[in-house]
Amino acid sequence: MNRFIAAVFIWLVCALPALAQDIKVGIIAPFSGTFADYGKQFEAGIKAYQKINGPAAGGHKVQIIIRDTGGPSPEVAKRLAQELVVRDKVDFLAGFGLTPEALAVADIATQAKKPMVIFNAATSVITTKSPYIVRASMTLPQISAPMGTWAAKNGIKKVITLVADYGPGNDAEGAFKKAFAAAGGQVIDSIRTPLQNPEFAPFIQRIKDAKPDAVFIFVPAGEQSIAVMKTFNERGLAQAGIKAIATGDITDDHVLNAMGDAALGMITTFHYSAAHDSPENKAFLKAYSEVAPNAGRANFMTVGAFDGMGAIYEVVKKLNGKIDGDKAMEMLKGYKATSPRGPIMIDPETRDIVQTIYVRKVEKKNNELWNVEFDKFDNVKDPGKQP
């Protein structure tokens, strides 16, 4: 009789539907310190995605575990990744606002076979450091090369480059120079600024004295972009006939209004603008305003997190919650979606994003500054990985 009862019990347990398993996503980013806004924008993007799509993917609740690097802190990022994998047993690693932190975690993703989704860090080489890395944001060559092409074709012949002295700055400068030269332009000087607490005044004065047609700028979004444009304005470069051209980090939607009229007329190339006119962007901005009502304007990092979560949800649904690193990466290769920024795809060969790069001009509408798109380059891959 006991055997019969045991057999019936086992049959009943096996016949019950499997309980949906929670999926854990470990977010590694700076939520404090100089780059704290990066993490806050990631969190808002995640919340906006879940506001629209719900907290579960295919019946599996997606749990977000946030870890603060206080960045840029590669050693801290690596330690946090180890803890997330070993102690918290996360299914995905994600976030990574800064390149040094992403590079520090690459080996952990490889050893643990954990899919690692980059929400922002933009140095081209990152995806080559682990077969488990996929990027939902951009690369600096992807947005700076189109600016080189556009500038040379629109009357800008002599340029000085001003870039932050770390991986993304080097990438941005290199791709801009290559594209600008190929289109007939000339870079007459290159200036590198410290990543931490730069003083822009002497660099801007050096540019003014050299009298180029334009200065091409890349610095980290946020405090530095405000500071460099303030100095550009105070030193009177625009009045001297020197144009400011840049990657879209410099006119980050989140801080654009804080720059004031000094930013008016600035031309940038980028993959997202809050002014982008599409149903998907309107739905995204509505959700963002509801989950982060006092956080200011959404920006490219918010969208990077939003789209990164879209990719994670897709994998969870297709694998029915049973996350295997190798299977997940195969599904992410070739992943397509219609983002708030426009159509996106993950390049199966490089695991980097393919997307539209827009040429934008800062304009004032209803007493606010906006990056207004007026030209574009379709289906841009990362030039840093092209022959």
Side-chain angles (χ1 to χ4, degrees):
M1 179 62 71
N2 288 339
R3 286 183 181 179
F4 174 76
I5 294 172
V8 171
F9 176 77
I10 292 170
W11 179 84
L12 285 170
V13 169
C14 293
L16 289 171
L19 293 174
Q21 182 178 346
D22 280 8
I23 302 299
K24 296 181 180 180
V25 181
I27 306 296
I28 299 174
F31 288 84
S32 62
T34 304
F35 296 97
D37 196 55
Y38 287 29
K40 292 173 184 175
Q41 288 297 317
F42 286 170
E43 188 173 12
I46 292 166
K47 288 180 177 179
Y49 186 85
Q50 293 193 318
K51 176 73 175 179
I52 294 172
N53 297 281
H60 302 274
K61 183 181 177 182
V62 178
Q63 180 184 352
I64 305 301
I65 303 173
I66 287 175
R67 295 290 180 263
D68 177 18
T69 65
S73 304
E75 300 82 4
V76 174
K78 186 172 185 177
R79 174 177 57 79
L80 292 175
Q82 290 170 330
E83 291 175 1
L84 284 166
V85 168
V86 175
R87 186 184 65 195
D88 297 297
K89 301 190 185 306
V90 297
D91 300 286
F92 295 85
L93 294 166
F96 307 102
L98 298 160
T99 288
E101 296 182 350
L103 292 175
V105 175
D107 285 346
I108 304 296
T110 302
Q111 292 164 13
K113 296 187 175 183
K114 296 293 181 184
M116 176 174 163
V117 184
I118 305 292
F119 288 177
N120 182 61
T123 303
S124 180
V125 74
I126 290 173
T127 55
T128 70
K129 297 302 181 181
S130 170
Y132 294 92
I133 295 177
V134 64
R135 183 157 26 202
S137 53
M138 58 166 176
T139 74
L140 264 301
Q142 187 180 47
I143 58 173
S144 56
M147 176 53 81
T149 302
W150 184 89
K153 290 182 177 179
N154 285 272
I156 296 173
K157 299 302 179 186
K158 291 186 178 181
V159 167
I160 291 176
T161 58
L162 176 75
V163 302
D165 191 12
Y166 75 130
N170 300 335
D171 270 7
E173 181 185 59
F176 173 83
K177 279 184 172 181
K178 184 176 180 180
F180 190 54
Q186 179 186 3
V187 173
I188 61 173
D189 194 7
S190 298
I191 299 172
R192 303 288 176 86
T193 64
L195 179 58
Q196 297 277 25
N197 305 314
E199 172 52 58
F200 290 112
F203 301 123
I204 295 295
Q205 186 60 48
R206 177 172 151 189
I207 293 165
K208 184 178 181 181
D209 293 342
K211 300 178 181 178
D213 297 325
V215 53
F216 170 77
I217 304 171
F218 168 78
V219 296
E223 293 179 6
Q224 290 196 30
S225 58
I226 295 172
V228 74
M229 288 311 299
K230 180 182 178 183
T231 309
F232 183 92
N233 187 48
E234 289 174 347
R235 296 278 169 160
L237 271 70
Q239 290 84 348
I242 300 170
K243 297 181 175 67
I245 58 175
T247 62
D249 312 61
I250 203 79
T251 58
D252 174 11
D253 288 305
H254 192 60
V255 299
L256 183 55
N257 281 314
M259 292 183 182
D261 289 352
L264 280 171
M266 189 169 187
I267 304 295
T268 59
T269 44
F270 216 40
H271 59 298
Y272 175 71
S273 168
H276 183 68
D277 186 13
S278 73
E280 292 79 14
N281 192 41
K282 288 174 183 175
F284 160 71
L285 292 174
K286 181 177 183 295
Y288 173 83
S289 69
E290 292 170 356
V291 300
N294 302 310
R297 191 181 292 170
N299 70 356
F300 64 99
M301 280 179 269
T302 329
V303 169
F306 184 93
D307 288 332
M309 288 304 297
I312 289 170
Y313 266 53
E314 181 76 2
V315 170
V316 174
K317 290 175 186 175
K318 286 187 174 180
L319 291 179
N320 194 25
K322 298 174 182 177
I323 308 303
D324 173 277
D326 293 314
K327 290 179 181 178
M329 294 313 297
E330 286 306 308
M331 289 177 179
L332 287 168
K333 294 174 183 178
Y335 167 77
K336 293 181 180 180
T338 303
S339 159
R341 65 185 106 169
I344 59 172
M345 182 188 81
I346 299 300
D347 187 329
E349 294 181 4
T350 66
R351 287 165 282 110
D352 257 317
I353 198 163
V354 181
Q355 59 191 329
T356 303
I357 303 300
Y358 303 92
V359 187
R360 309 102 49 85
K361 183 178 183 180
V362 177
E363 297 181 5
K364 183 173 279 189
K365 294 185 176 182
N366 298 323
N367 213 33
E368 288 193 47
L369 299 180
W370 298 91
N371 290 298
V372 178
E373 300 161 356
F374 65 90
D375 201 354
K376 64 180 180 176
F377 294 78
D378 291 320
N379 300 315
V380 179
K381 293 186 176 183
D382 174 26
K385 298 187 182 70
Q386 302 305 307

